[in-house]
Amino acid sequence: MEALIDLAQKIEDNKLREIIISFLKNPEISIETFGDEMAFEEAPASKIYHHSYRGGLIEHTIGVTFIAIEIANILQKVHQIDFINKDLIIAGGILHDLYKPLTYHQAGSKYERSRLGSKIDHTSLAFAEAWTRKFPLDLIHLILSHHGKGSSAPPRSLEALILHVADYVDSNLLGDILIGAQKIMERAGKPQKIENSKFAAIICDIMAKEGIDGVKKFLET
């Protein structure tokens, strides 16, 4: 959680910063769990698509938050939209997937739904805990709406829309890179589990520049 606590330090509003840091230091959920869940630092961000490897969730969380900040900066610099609450965006980015590890269980080299995750999704868990802890309503809305139109409450604020777009960009971009790299390695006759997005990006880059023979040569070294 230290990386997320460092990220939370960017929140300028003292009260909101204290709320988020306190939450990160004590993220225990109020409802019953079953012991087959994963720790945040070990969890993937998805079972088979984006960031689907150990530690993938924390990478995704940090990535989404920084993308959201940059979107807000661009809107301010290019379009003079200077009233976006960046503190709210940072807080939402940090919290949006915080309880996803409770919905996953590691079974060998694969990830499956935990007992809790088979009944309740991560967004509902985060909403319930944020509501129980009396978080600001605008922040709860960001958590609820980060999946966009598919959410139980679609984005109805600029901050919520920015967070949704950031989540979409990070998950789809890195997901396509990861899946693309896996297909390339299968074509090269060297299928293997990819453990980080950088390696996946390297495979895709070599394929683009040197073709399948370049990939084979790289994987043989």
Side-chain angles (χ1 to χ4, degrees), residues 106-173:
Q106 187 162 10
S109 61
K110 296 182 179 180
Y111 300 107
E112 299 177 351
R113 292 289 178 190
S114 66
R115 289 180 64 188
L116 181 61
S118 67
K119 303 293 184 182
I120 306 176
D121 67 279
H122 69 282
T123 304
S124 298
L125 290 172
F127 162 73
E129 191 64 22
W131 186 267
T132 299
R133 298 193 188 206
K134 299 181 179 179
F135 279 14
L137 181 60
D138 287 341
L139 176 55
I140 293 175
H141 176 62
L142 262 69
I143 295 170
L144 267 181
S145 64
H146 75 269
H147 284 154
K149 293 180 180 179
S151 303
S152 57
R156 294 193 176 106
S157 69
L158 287 175
E159 293 81 8
L161 185 58
I162 289 170
L163 180 62
H164 160 58
V165 171
D167 182 51
Y168 181 88
V169 169
D170 191 70
S171 59
N172 281 270
L173 176 60

Side-chain angles (χ1 to χ4, degrees), residues 6-52:
D6 289 344
L7 193 54
Q9 296 289 356
K10 295 181 178 292
I11 298 173
E12 295 182 359
D13 182 87
N14 292 333
K15 184 177 180 180
L16 183 59
R17 184 174 63 250
E18 290 174 4
I19 288 173
I20 300 304
I21 292 177
S22 176
F23 186 42
L24 292 173
K25 289 181 177 180
N26 180 30
E28 295 298 321
I29 198 164
S30 303
I31 68 172
E32 179 185 8
T33 57
F34 300 94
D36 64 339
E37 305 85 10
M38 300 189 69
F40 184 86
E41 291 81 1
E42 299 175 352
S46 70
K47 292 190 296 179
I48 58 174
Y49 184 44
H50 71 95
H51 304 85
S52 54

